[in-house]
């Protein structure tokens, strides 16, 4: 089970909505200041994921909690998102190269266009499949522990005195 830190955004009886910031690996290497990806990740805010689940614990908005996410579903989703468009692209290229290009006679242009269309179709399929897995994962999120109130600047200033 993977864990993530999340902030409680909303509490409705026994249903809690939490949000956690998507983590990127761009802030951990030595060339983050000169890398294009690192610069873009600094400029754009990270995506916030929202999870809703049932809990018996009393929580309040703003509390920091640790949630557990099933690894299997996350790995399946990652495999689908990365591999499906790639496999569709390769299948489209082979189909075009072996069958369509000899019949039409336009050469590589046909292969490029058909490959791009198949990759787009693979992207659309991966998007639909990963959304289904994401919904299934949302039902399996669990509260592991409550970490407490978040540390704010005002609390830090008072603690230093």
């Amino acid at each position: 089970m993977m864990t993530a830190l999340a902030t409680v955004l909303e509490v409705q009886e026994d249903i809690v909505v939490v949000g956690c910031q998507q983590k990127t690996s761009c802030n951990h290497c030595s060339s983050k200041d000169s890398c294009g990806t690192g610069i873009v990740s600094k400029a754009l805010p990270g995506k916030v994921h929202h999870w809703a689940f049932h809990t018996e614990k009393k929580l309040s908005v703003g509390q920091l909690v640790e949630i557990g996410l099933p690894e299997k579903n996350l790995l399946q989703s990652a495999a689908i998102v990365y591999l499906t468009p790639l496999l569709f692209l390769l299948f489209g290229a082979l189909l075009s190269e072996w069958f369509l290009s000899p019949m039409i006679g336009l050469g590589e242009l046909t292969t490029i266009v058909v490959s791009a269309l198949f990759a787009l179709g693979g992207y659309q399929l991966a998007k639909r499949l990963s959304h289904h897995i994401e919904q299934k994962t949302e039902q399996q999120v669990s509260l592991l522990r409550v970490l407490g109130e978040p540390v704010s600047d005002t609390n830090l200033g008072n603690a230093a005195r």
Side-chain angles (χ1 to χ4, degrees), residues 1-62:
M1 181 168 287
M2 295 179 67
T3 63
L5 294 179
T7 305
V8 177
L9 302 175
E10 187 178 337
V11 179
Q12 300 172 353
E13 296 179 19
D14 64 337
I15 298 175
V16 177
V17 178
V18 297
C20 67
Q21 191 81 18
Q22 181 174 337
K23 296 177 185 174
T24 63
S25 59
C26 289
N27 294 327
H28 301 293
C29 75
S30 59
S31 60
K32 65 182 176 188
D33 293 329
S34 60
C35 171
T37 305
I39 292 170
V40 169
S41 71
K42 283 181 188 175
L44 299 176
K47 184 177 179 182
V48 176
H49 295 280
H50 298 278
W51 308 95
F53 54 90
H54 295 278
T55 183
E56 298 299 321
K57 295 187 178 181
K58 298 295 180 197
L59 298 173
S60 60
V61 175

Side-chain angles (χ1 to χ4, degrees), residues 72-89:
K72 178 184 174 188
N73 293 350
L74 294 174
L75 293 175
Q76 281 178 342
S77 182
I80 286 171
V81 166
Y82 287 109
L83 295 178
T84 303
L86 180 64
L87 292 175
F88 270 65
L89 176 102

Side-chain angles (χ1 to χ4, degrees), residues 68-132:
L69 307 163
E71 283 181 11
K72 178 184 174 188
N73 293 350
L74 294 174
L75 293 175
Q76 281 178 342
S77 182
I80 286 171
V81 166
Y82 287 109
L83 295 178
T84 303
L86 180 64
L87 292 175
F88 270 65
L89 176 102
L90 292 174
F91 180 72
L94 291 174
L95 178 76
S96 176
E97 190 65 30
W98 289 343
F99 300 110
L100 292 177
S101 289
M103 287 181 359
I104 297 174
L106 291 177
E108 291 180 3
L109 180 63
T110 306
T111 303
I112 292 169
V113 170
V114 170
S115 298
L117 290 174
F118 268 74
L120 184 63
Y123 168 76
Q124 293 298 325
L125 178 64
K127 193 174 177 181
R128 192 172 302 125
L129 290 173
S130 67
H131 180 70
H132 174 70

